[in-house]
Amino acid sequence: MPSMAIQLQRYLPERDSTPHWQAFNVEYDDSTSVLDALEQIKAEQDSSLSYRWSCRMAICGSCGVMVNGVPKLGCKTFLRDYPKGLQLAPLGNFPVEKDLIVDMSRFLEHLTAIKPYLIAEAAPQGQPHRQTPAQLARYKQFSNCINCGLCYAACPQFGLKPDFLGPAAIALAHRYNLDSRDSGKAERMAQLNSDNGVWGCTFVGYCSTVCPKGVDPAAAVNQGKIASTLDGVIQWFKPAKASRNKEQR
Amino acid sequence: MPMLNKNASQTTPHRSDEPIWWSLFSAGGVCVAMLVPAITLLVLLGIPLGLVSAEQLSYQRLHALVFHPLGLGVVLGAMVLPLFHAMHRIHHGLHDLKLAHGRLAKWLCYGSAVLLSLLVLGLWFSGLG
Ligand code: SF4
Ligand code: FES
């Protein structure tokens, strides 16, 4: 079996004052993923190594790491594609807790804030909510998000300003706003309308490049800008009702 | 897992004024994308290739075109909106480069777009007579 040199960013908070690089050698074949390589290191070379994973099939979203500086899912990235070697580091733009484990609570707060669930009246008599294929097609792409956070590691605006709701949260808000069964748009727009909502985005588009599920959060954010502009115009023309957002500064 | 900040979902943030600047930016971008290639083709290729005679772009003709009432549309599309487009990019570029992101930068950027636009419009109206 061929072997590959892997540089790992290590950080053990009880021992290290700053992260540092450590070199490992792993054996691999065509089917060895980055996650497999980490398991090999932990099992055979250094049991103190920490990283997150669960499903090993690109569905739980827990194994995100920076692979040669690019946010990737460890279980969906293969050593065979990196003949020159690998550098693995924790996801960018998040505080590092230990080794490859980051603190994602900021991302989760943003997700919570946009109410990423169906806000709808129960369908009558236990009937299912009916939806046509055309209604489904409007949001289907945006519903594939696995909350892996790769897009946050890719987003320079989230890096500059962690209060920015960020790609996945906005994509999910957009996903529910587009859902014909949902009636919670008014509750979500207040968040999207703010400087930290859709307007925190300057359309860099790297989020969509790194997304492992083809969600295209950048498209959602920019469709959200149109939605937010229309929302503003509509609010303008009906001043009698309480404004959705607080008074403008 | 650290405790989530429950308040994050309950506070109602201010509505951003970005839709105004973003709309001007977008309109300016569309105008630039349509007008600049057309003008470039006309001047850089049209004349050398003999497709357009230099006569057709003479001062008198262009003057008449620009100061025609419909010429105001050309002035808005070729100068005013692109000014807002450019200053919006510069404003966000300053933030991205961590050079400036406060109110002052915003006032300077959009303020200069407004002032230059007023200058352009002033010249246009004074040239009408
Ligand atoms: S939008 Fe894509 S990259 Fe972002 S969290 Fe969802 S699946 Fe991950
Ligand atoms: S381990 Fe679940 S997405 Fe990689």
Side-chain angles (χ1 to χ4, degrees):
Chain A
M1 258 199 198
S3 70
M4 178 180 290
I6 295 190
Q7 294 280 338
L8 266 182
Q9 186 179 308
R10 301 298 307 273
Y11 175 61
L12 300 169
E14 63 275 20
R15 194 188 71 192
D16 307 328
S17 54
T18 50
H20 61 274
W21 293 96
Q22 188 177 355
F24 293 94
N25 245 314
V26 293
E27 293 187 328
Y28 74 104
D29 60 22
D30 266 1
S31 67
T32 309
S33 68
V34 165
L35 183 60
D36 293 332
L38 291 172
E39 285 175 350
Q40 202 186 111
I41 294 172
K42 187 169 175 83
E44 296 168 13
Q45 303 182 42
D46 188 343
S47 61
S48 72
L49 178 65
S50 302
Y51 52 91
R52 282 199 185 110
W53 63 282
S54 175
C55 71
R56 294 192 283 179
M57 51 192 285
I59 202 67
C60 74
S62 35
C63 65
V65 285
M66 302 301 274
V67 178
N68 293 358
V70 177
K72 296 268 186 194
L73 291 182
C75 65
K76 202 177 179 242
T77 308
F78 294 89
L79 269 60
R80 59 171 190 257
D81 296 325
Y82 296 86
K84 290 191 185 133
L86 281 177
Q87 273 198 338
L88 303 180
L91 276 186
N93 295 338
F94 291 106
V96 181
E97 278 186 348
K98 187 182 179 195
D99 292 339
L100 298 177
I101 294 181
V102 293
D103 175 2
M104 286 199 140
S105 42
R106 198 53 90 87
F107 170 37
L108 299 176
E109 278 168 19
H110 292 336
L111 270 184
T112 316
I114 54 91
K115 309 192 176 177
Y117 38 82
L118 211 58
I119 298 175
E121 301 266 314
Q125 298 281 311
Q127 293 285 310
H129 281 289
R130 292 191 190 283
Q131 202 163 45
T132 66
Q135 288 170 329
L136 174 66
R138 290 184 73 206
Y139 69 83
K140 185 151 189 283
Q141 168 189 16
F142 302 127
S143 68
N144 286 337
C145 176
I146 57 172
N147 301 346
C148 63
L150 298 198
C151 50
Y152 285 73
C155 175
Q157 297 303 341
F158 179 67
L160 285 170
K161 197 170 72 166
D163 286 338
F164 173 40
L165 287 178
I170 294 175
L172 273 173
H174 194 55
R175 173 248 175 277
Y176 286 100
N177 285 347
L178 290 178
D179 193 321
S180 58
R181 301 163 295 178
D182 183 87
S183 50
K185 186 173 179 182
E187 296 173 41
R188 296 187 197 98
M189 283 319 285
Q191 294 289 335
L192 298 183
N193 288 337
S194 76
D195 278 335
N196 289 325
V198 292
W199 303 109
C201 163
T202 54
F203 206 8
V204 174
Y206 191 34
C207 52
S208 293
T209 310
V210 304
C211 174
K213 304 306 274 186
V215 172
D216 199 355
V221 176
N222 283 279
Q223 289 172 22
K225 287 181 187 173
I226 298 171
S228 174
T229 304
L230 290 177
D231 185 80
V233 172
I234 291 167
Q235 293 288 308
W236 218 9
F237 283 109
K238 40 175 198 184
K241 266 197 167 180
S243 172
R244 181 163 293 166
N245 292 71
K246 286 180 201 160
E247 287 292 285
Q248 280 202 19
R249 272 163 291 175
Chain B
M1 179 63 55
M3 280 287 286
L4 297 185
N5 177 6
K6 291 267 163 43
N7 293 329
S9 57
Q10 278 149 23
T11 50
T12 308
H14 289 283
R15 183 185 290 275
S16 172
D17 58 9
E18 272 289 296
I20 300 165
W21 312 118
W22 179 77
S23 301
L24 289 165
F25 160 80
S26 306
V30 170
C31 290
V32 169
M34 291 194 347
L35 284 171
V36 171
I39 294 172
T40 313
L41 271 181
L42 208 63
V43 176
L44 293 187
L45 286 177
I47 298 178
L49 291 177
L51 299 174
V52 187
S53 77
E55 288 294 283
Q56 283 171 305
L57 297 177
S58 69
Y59 173 77
Q60 271 77 15
R61 286 189 62 124
L62 285 184
H63 188 275
L65 173 75
V66 169
F67 288 100
H68 186 273
L70 288 178
L72 183 60
V74 179
V75 169
L76 284 177
M79 301 185 78
V80 172
L81 290 174
L83 273 171
F84 281 94
H85 180 85
M87 293 323 287
H88 182 81
R89 262 286 155 231
I90 291 173
H91 175 228
H92 285 289
L94 288 173
H95 166 76
D96 291 353
L97 297 171
K98 302 187 197 173
L99 292 175
H101 54 263
R103 281 241 176 133
L104 181 65
K106 190 167 176 177
W107 272 99
L108 284 178
C109 286
Y110 297 122
S112 55
V114 169
L115 283 180
L116 287 169
S117 298
L118 288 176
L119 180 70
V120 168
L121 291 176
L123 286 175
W124 190 81
F125 279 108
S126 65
L128 270 186

Coordinates of all heavy atoms in Angstrom, one line a residue, chain A residues 35 52-64 73-76 146 148, ligand 2:
Chain A
L35 N -11.4 11.0 6.3 CA -11.9 10.5 7.6 C -11.3 9.2 8.0 O -10.9 8.9 9.1 CB -13.5 10.4 7.6 CG -14.1 10.0 8.9 CD1 -13.9 10.9 10.0 CD2 -15.6 9.8 8.7
R52 N -14.6 15.2 14.6 CA -16.0 14.9 14.7 C -16.3 14.0 13.4 O -15.9 14.3 12.3 CB -16.9 16.1 14.7 CG -16.9 16.8 16.0 CD -18.2 17.7 16.0 NE -18.2 18.4 17.3 CZ -18.0 19.7 17.4 NH1 -17.8 20.4 16.3 NH2 -18.0 20.3 18.5
W53 N -17.2 13.1 13.6 CA -17.8 12.4 12.5 C -19.0 11.6 13.0 O -19.1 11.4 14.2 CB -16.7 11.4 11.9 CG -16.3 10.3 12.9 CD1 -15.4 10.5 13.9 CD2 -16.8 9.0 12.9 NE1 -15.3 9.3 14.6 CE2 -16.1 8.4 14.0 CE3 -17.7 8.3 12.2 CZ2 -16.4 7.0 14.4 CZ3 -17.9 6.9 12.5 CH2 -17.3 6.3 13.6
S54 N -19.8 11.1 12.1 CA -20.8 10.2 12.5 C -21.2 9.2 11.4 O -21.0 8.0 11.5 CB -22.1 11.0 13.0 OG -23.1 10.1 13.3
C55 N -21.8 9.8 10.3 CA -22.4 8.9 9.3 C -21.5 8.3 8.3 O -21.7 7.2 7.8 CB -23.5 9.7 8.6 SG -22.8 10.9 7.4
R56 N -20.3 8.9 8.0 CA -19.4 8.5 7.0 C -20.0 8.4 5.6 O -19.5 7.7 4.8 CB -18.8 7.1 7.4 CG -17.9 7.2 8.6 CD -17.1 5.9 8.8 NE -18.0 4.9 9.3 CZ -17.5 3.6 9.5 NH1 -16.3 3.3 9.3 NH2 -18.3 2.7 10.0
M57 N -21.1 9.1 5.4 CA -21.7 9.0 4.1 C -22.3 10.4 3.7 O -23.3 10.5 3.0 CB -22.8 8.0 4.0 CG -23.8 8.0 5.1 SD -24.8 6.5 5.1 CE -25.9 6.8 3.7
A58 N -21.6 11.5 4.1 CA -22.0 12.8 3.6 C -23.4 13.2 3.9 O -24.1 13.8 3.1 CB -21.6 13.0 2.1
I59 N -23.9 12.8 5.1 CA -25.3 13.1 5.4 C -25.5 13.8 6.7 O -26.4 14.5 7.0 CB -26.2 11.9 5.1 CG1 -27.7 12.3 4.9 CG2 -26.1 10.9 6.3 CD1 -27.9 13.0 3.6
C60 N -24.5 13.5 7.7 CA -24.7 14.1 9.0 C -24.1 15.5 9.1 O -24.5 16.3 10.0 CB -24.1 13.2 10.1 SG -22.3 13.2 10.2
G61 N -23.1 15.8 8.3 CA -22.5 17.1 8.3 C -21.6 17.4 9.4 O -21.3 18.5 9.7
S62 N -21.1 16.3 10.1 CA -20.2 16.6 11.2 C -18.7 16.6 11.0 O -18.0 17.0 11.8 CB -20.6 15.7 12.4 OG -20.9 14.4 12.0
C63 N -18.3 16.1 9.8 CA -16.9 15.9 9.6 C -16.1 16.9 8.8 O -15.1 16.7 8.2 CB -16.7 14.5 8.9 SG -17.4 14.5 7.3
G64 N -16.7 18.2 8.8 CA -16.0 19.2 8.0 C -14.6 19.6 8.5 O -14.4 19.7 9.7
L73 N -15.9 17.9 3.4 CA -16.3 16.9 4.3 C -15.3 15.8 4.3 O -14.9 15.3 3.2 CB -17.7 16.3 3.8 CG -18.9 17.1 3.9 CD1 -20.1 16.3 3.4 CD2 -19.1 17.6 5.3
G74 N -14.8 15.4 5.4 CA -13.7 14.4 5.5 C -14.1 13.1 4.9 O -13.3 12.4 4.3
C75 N -15.4 12.7 5.0 CA -15.8 11.4 4.5 C -16.1 11.4 3.0 O -16.3 10.4 2.4 CB -17.1 11.0 5.3 SG -18.5 12.0 5.0
K76 N -16.1 12.6 2.4 CA -16.4 12.7 1.0 C -15.2 13.1 0.2 O -15.3 13.5 -1.0 CB -17.6 13.7 0.8 CG -18.4 13.5 -0.5 CD -19.5 14.5 -0.5 CE -20.3 14.4 -1.8 NZ -20.3 15.6 -2.6
I146 N -27.2 20.0 4.9 CA -27.0 19.1 6.0 C -26.3 19.8 7.2 O -25.8 19.2 8.1 CB -26.1 17.9 5.6 CG1 -24.7 18.4 5.0 CG2 -26.8 17.1 4.6 CD1 -23.7 17.3 4.7
C148 N -23.5 21.4 7.6 CA -22.1 21.0 7.9 C -21.3 22.2 8.2 O -20.2 22.1 8.8 CB -21.6 20.3 6.6 SG -21.5 21.3 5.2
Ligands
FES2 S1 -19.2 11.8 8.7 FE1 -21.3 12.4 8.3 S2 -21.0 13.9 6.8 FE2 -19.0 13.1 7.0

